[in-house]
mmCIF file of all heavy atoms in Angstrom:
data_model
loop_
_atom_site.group_PDB
_atom_site.id
_atom_site.type_symbol
_atom_site.label_atom_id
_atom_site.label_comp_id
_atom_site.label_asym_id
_atom_site.label_seq_id
_atom_site.Cartn_x
_atom_site.Cartn_y
_atom_site.Cartn_z
ATOM 1 N N LYS V 322 -7.317 5.840 -21.921
ATOM 2 C CA LYS V 322 -6.648 6.744 -22.868
ATOM 3 C C LYS V 322 -7.657 7.444 -23.773
ATOM 4 O O LYS V 322 -7.300 7.969 -24.824
ATOM 5 C CB LYS V 322 -5.585 6.001 -23.686
ATOM 6 C CG LYS V 322 -6.092 4.818 -24.485
ATOM 7 C CD LYS V 322 -4.936 4.071 -25.135
ATOM 8 C CE LYS V 322 -4.685 4.518 -26.549
ATOM 9 N NZ LYS V 322 -3.740 3.681 -27.292
ATOM 10 N N SER V 323 -8.930 7.455 -23.328
ATOM 11 C CA SER V 323 -9.973 8.085 -24.131
ATOM 12 C C SER V 323 -10.267 9.498 -23.652
ATOM 13 O O SER V 323 -10.252 9.773 -22.453
ATOM 14 C CB SER V 323 -11.264 7.272 -24.064
ATOM 15 O OG SER V 323 -11.104 6.066 -24.754
ATOM 16 N N ILE V 324 -10.538 10.366 -24.602
ATOM 17 C CA ILE V 324 -10.988 11.731 -24.302
ATOM 18 C C ILE V 324 -12.194 12.005 -25.193
ATOM 19 O O ILE V 324 -12.099 11.963 -26.419
ATOM 20 C CB ILE V 324 -9.879 12.772 -24.559
ATOM 21 C CG1 ILE V 324 -8.646 12.448 -23.691
ATOM 22 C CG2 ILE V 324 -10.391 14.190 -24.237
ATOM 23 C CD1 ILE V 324 -7.366 13.036 -24.214
ATOM 24 N N GLY V 325 -13.330 12.240 -24.540
ATOM 25 C CA GLY V 325 -14.566 12.488 -25.275
ATOM 26 C C GLY V 325 -14.859 13.973 -25.346
ATOM 27 O O GLY V 325 -14.470 14.737 -24.468
ATOM 28 N N VAL V 326 -15.556 14.370 -26.402
ATOM 29 C CA VAL V 326 -15.972 15.765 -26.526
ATOM 30 C C VAL V 326 -17.498 15.798 -26.543
ATOM 31 O O VAL V 326 -18.129 15.207 -27.427
ATOM 32 C CB VAL V 326 -15.395 16.427 -27.781
ATOM 33 C CG1 VAL V 326 -15.768 17.906 -27.805
ATOM 34 C CG2 VAL V 326 -13.882 16.268 -27.825
ATOM 35 N N ALA V 327 -18.064 16.473 -25.545
ATOM 36 C CA ALA V 327 -19.518 16.559 -25.419
ATOM 37 C C ALA V 327 -20.026 17.767 -26.200
ATOM 38 O O ALA V 327 -19.310 18.749 -26.366
ATOM 39 C CB ALA V 327 -19.894 16.675 -23.939
ATOM 40 N N PRO V 328 -21.250 17.691 -26.684
ATOM 41 C CA PRO V 328 -21.782 18.754 -27.549
ATOM 42 C C PRO V 328 -22.689 19.694 -26.761
ATOM 43 O O PRO V 328 -22.735 19.626 -25.532
ATOM 44 C CB PRO V 328 -22.637 17.946 -28.516
ATOM 45 C CG PRO V 328 -23.249 16.908 -27.619
ATOM 46 C CD PRO V 328 -22.239 16.610 -26.539
ATOM 47 N N VAL V 329 -23.414 20.544 -27.471
ATOM 48 C CA VAL V 329 -24.569 21.195 -26.858
ATOM 49 C C VAL V 329 -25.803 20.410 -27.294
ATOM 50 O O VAL V 329 -25.731 19.570 -28.172
ATOM 51 C CB VAL V 329 -24.707 22.676 -27.277
ATOM 52 C CG1 VAL V 329 -23.520 23.479 -26.830
ATOM 53 C CG2 VAL V 329 -24.935 22.784 -28.767
ATOM 54 N N GLY V 330 -26.920 20.699 -26.671
ATOM 55 C CA GLY V 330 -28.134 19.944 -26.971
ATOM 56 C C GLY V 330 -28.407 18.959 -25.863
ATOM 57 O O GLY V 330 -27.850 19.069 -24.759
ATOM 58 N N CYS V 331 -29.258 17.979 -26.147
ATOM 59 C CA CYS V 331 -29.678 17.047 -25.090
ATOM 60 C C CYS V 331 -28.506 16.349 -24.419
ATOM 61 O O CYS V 331 -28.530 16.102 -23.227
ATOM 62 C CB CYS V 331 -30.628 16.006 -25.664
ATOM 63 S SG CYS V 331 -32.247 16.693 -25.986
ATOM 64 N N SER V 332 -27.476 16.024 -25.197
ATOM 65 C CA SER V 332 -26.359 15.267 -24.623
ATOM 66 C C SER V 332 -25.268 16.184 -24.085
ATOM 67 O O SER V 332 -24.127 15.776 -23.925
ATOM 68 C CB SER V 332 -25.799 14.295 -25.660
ATOM 69 O OG SER V 332 -25.708 14.902 -26.927
ATOM 70 N N VAL V 333 -25.642 17.413 -23.780
ATOM 71 C CA VAL V 333 -24.673 18.390 -23.267
ATOM 72 C C VAL V 333 -24.002 17.907 -21.988
ATOM 73 O O VAL V 333 -22.867 18.276 -21.690
ATOM 74 C CB VAL V 333 -25.346 19.772 -23.054
ATOM 75 C CG1 VAL V 333 -26.350 19.742 -21.918
ATOM 76 C CG2 VAL V 333 -24.321 20.870 -22.820
ATOM 77 N N LEU V 334 -24.725 17.082 -21.213
ATOM 78 C CA LEU V 334 -24.152 16.616 -19.945
ATOM 79 C C LEU V 334 -23.439 15.266 -20.086
ATOM 80 O O LEU V 334 -23.131 14.619 -19.091
ATOM 81 C CB LEU V 334 -25.240 16.512 -18.872
ATOM 82 C CG LEU V 334 -25.936 17.835 -18.508
ATOM 83 C CD1 LEU V 334 -27.040 17.601 -17.484
ATOM 84 C CD2 LEU V 334 -24.945 18.860 -17.971
ATOM 85 N N ALA V 335 -23.159 14.873 -21.325
ATOM 86 C CA ALA V 335 -22.486 13.582 -21.553
ATOM 87 C C ALA V 335 -21.191 13.477 -20.747
ATOM 88 O O ALA V 335 -20.791 12.383 -20.350
ATOM 89 C CB ALA V 335 -22.200 13.392 -23.045
ATOM 90 N N TYR V 336 -20.584 14.643 -20.475
ATOM 91 C CA TYR V 336 -19.325 14.603 -19.707
ATOM 92 C C TYR V 336 -19.513 14.083 -18.291
ATOM 93 O O TYR V 336 -18.572 13.663 -17.646
ATOM 94 C CB TYR V 336 -18.643 15.977 -19.684
ATOM 95 C CG TYR V 336 -19.512 17.123 -19.211
ATOM 96 C CD1 TYR V 336 -19.811 17.300 -17.876
ATOM 97 C CD2 TYR V 336 -20.027 18.046 -20.129
ATOM 98 C CE1 TYR V 336 -20.598 18.353 -17.447
ATOM 99 C CE2 TYR V 336 -20.815 19.093 -19.720
ATOM 100 C CZ TYR V 336 -21.104 19.251 -18.369
ATOM 101 O OH TYR V 336 -21.891 20.293 -17.958
ATOM 102 N N ASP V 337 -20.753 14.104 -17.813
ATOM 103 C CA ASP V 337 -21.013 13.546 -16.477
ATOM 104 C C ASP V 337 -21.220 12.031 -16.527
ATOM 105 O O ASP V 337 -21.191 11.377 -15.485
ATOM 106 C CB ASP V 337 -22.268 14.184 -15.879
ATOM 107 C CG ASP V 337 -21.990 15.548 -15.264
ATOM 108 O OD1 ASP V 337 -20.812 15.813 -14.929
ATOM 109 O OD2 ASP V 337 -22.937 16.347 -15.122
ATOM 110 N N TYR V 338 -21.480 11.513 -17.705
ATOM 111 C CA TYR V 338 -21.879 10.105 -17.805
ATOM 112 C C TYR V 338 -20.760 9.182 -18.271
ATOM 113 O O TYR V 338 -20.690 8.041 -17.847
ATOM 114 C CB TYR V 338 -23.082 9.973 -18.752
ATOM 115 C CG TYR V 338 -24.227 10.902 -18.394
ATOM 116 C CD1 TYR V 338 -24.994 11.533 -19.371
ATOM 117 C CD2 TYR V 338 -24.545 11.160 -17.053
ATOM 118 C CE1 TYR V 338 -26.037 12.392 -19.036
ATOM 119 C CE2 TYR V 338 -25.580 12.024 -16.710
ATOM 120 C CZ TYR V 338 -26.322 12.636 -17.710
ATOM 121 O OH TYR V 338 -27.341 13.489 -17.370
ATOM 122 N N PHE V 339 -19.895 9.685 -19.166
ATOM 123 C CA PHE V 339 -18.798 8.840 -19.643
ATOM 124 C C PHE V 339 -17.673 8.839 -18.613
ATOM 125 O O PHE V 339 -17.282 9.893 -18.101
ATOM 126 C CB PHE V 339 -18.280 9.324 -21.000
ATOM 127 C CG PHE V 339 -19.209 8.974 -22.130
ATOM 128 C CD1 PHE V 339 -20.004 9.943 -22.725
ATOM 129 C CD2 PHE V 339 -19.310 7.662 -22.581
ATOM 130 C CE1 PHE V 339 -20.877 9.623 -23.759
ATOM 131 C CE2 PHE V 339 -20.178 7.327 -23.613
ATOM 132 C CZ PHE V 339 -20.977 8.304 -24.196
ATOM 133 N N ASN V 340 -17.171 7.648 -18.332
ATOM 134 C CA ASN V 340 -16.164 7.487 -17.290
ATOM 135 C C ASN V 340 -14.748 7.623 -17.867
ATOM 136 O O ASN V 340 -13.909 6.751 -17.713
ATOM 137 C CB ASN V 340 -16.356 6.119 -16.619
ATOM 138 C CG ASN V 340 -15.556 5.999 -15.341
ATOM 139 O OD1 ASN V 340 -15.127 6.997 -14.765
ATOM 140 N ND2 ASN V 340 -15.333 4.777 -14.900
#
Side-chain angles (χ1 to χ4, degrees):
Chain V
K322 58 186 265 190
S323 290
I324 301 158
V326 184
V329 298
C331 286
S332 42
V333 68
L334 298 177
Y336 53 76
D337 279 338
Y338 308 142
F339 285 105
N340 192 18

